[in-house]
Amino acid sequence: MLKKNIIWAAAVAAVAFAVYLSTACRTVYVGDSGELISAALVLGIPHPPGYPLFCILGRLFTFAVPFGSVAFRVNILSSLLASGSTALLFLSVMKTVQYPAASHGPASAVAAACASLAFAFSSVFWSQALIAKGCLYVLNIFLLSFVLYLLVSAERNPKPGFLYAAAFLYGLAAANHHTGFAVFPALFFFIFILPRRIWNRPSFWLKLSGLVVMGLALY
């Protein structure tokens, strides 16, 4: 079942990325885009809070993509992360609707795909998936979508590994944009609805905190 879900998720992401790529800005957009593209190119520090993760990924992406202007490459990075967020949303929805197992079926996949694509082509999200400035927000959504998928997975199969991975990705999200801190209370509360055997050990909290700090260490 997981393999089928991944195939569906890849198809959803491909549709979203194809549309994003065809509508992405080909040059420097208005606002902070020029500053952010320059910071990514030279691995510099843009306006506060500095966006270290974006600058590192932007720097790598400008070298990894062999076509288009530097501005277009950073814009494509935003499109790629946005389509990845759509795929993660699909997987999270499927994790939810496929519990219990009796609810398995193609109708669930079609409904999840429609919901994910509706999110992908919502006006605000779509507009941010096309420009470098939007990459700041889209990257945050991508990381927090990944955290959501891991938390849903932990609810279905309570294992510390899911939470450890979620903690590190949450730290990266907070290192990208300070709005990531706004979801901290919800993530903290979620842990306490899991079986007590998962979180009643001091070693668990030490590892969790250490992984969050590792993500934040990009600052």
Side-chain angles (χ1 to χ4, degrees), residues 52 95 122:
K95 276 280 185 181
S122 59

Side-chain angles (χ1 to χ4, degrees), residues 24-30 33-38 40-41 54 58 61-63 65 67-79 129-133 135:
C25 180
R26 263 50 183 175
T27 184
V28 180
Y29 194 66
V30 297
S33 289
E35 176 199 5
L36 294 168
I37 291 167
S38 299
L41 179 63
F54 161 78
F61 207 74
T62 55
F63 286 97
V65 177
F67 59 87
S69 65
V70 170
F72 184 45
R73 296 176 197 181
V74 180
N75 295 339
I76 292 175
L77 175 59
S78 185
S79 299
L130 311 179
I131 57 176
K133 178 177 173 58
C135 193

Side-chain angles (χ1 to χ4, degrees), residues 13-171:
V15 170
F17 183 69
V19 176
Y20 292 154
L21 186 62
S22 65
T23 55
C25 180
R26 263 50 183 175
T27 184
V28 180
Y29 194 66
V30 297
D32 300 331
S33 289
E35 176 199 5
L36 294 168
I37 291 167
S38 299
L41 179 63
V42 302
L43 206 59
I45 303 176
H47 63 273
Y51 313 110
L53 182 58
F54 161 78
C55 290
I56 292 170
L57 291 178
R59 169 76 170 178
L60 293 173
F61 207 74
T62 55
F63 286 97
V65 177
F67 59 87
S69 65
V70 170
F72 184 45
R73 296 176 197 181
V74 180
N75 295 339
I76 292 175
L77 175 59
S78 185
S79 299
L80 188 64
L81 291 168
S83 58
S85 302
T86 304
L88 287 167
L89 177 61
F90 172 86
L91 291 173
S92 296
V93 172
M94 290 302 291
K95 276 280 185 181
T96 303
V97 301
Q98 290 181 346
Y99 184 80
S103 63
H104 289 190
S108 297
V110 172
C114 290
S116 301
L117 289 173
F119 169 74
F121 300 130
S122 59
S123 59
V124 174
F125 187 74
W126 189 352
S127 69
Q128 298 305 301
L130 311 179
I131 57 176
K133 178 177 173 58
C135 193
L136 303 178
Y137 315 121
V138 172
L139 177 54
N140 231 36
I141 292 173
F142 174 79
L143 291 170
L144 292 178
S145 296
F146 213 146
V147 169
L148 174 64
Y149 173 71
L150 290 169
L151 294 181
V152 173
S153 299
E155 185 183 13
R156 299 291 178 256
N157 185 15
K159 290 183 178 180
F162 289 121
L163 299 174
Y164 293 150
F168 178 67
L169 289 174
Y170 174 74

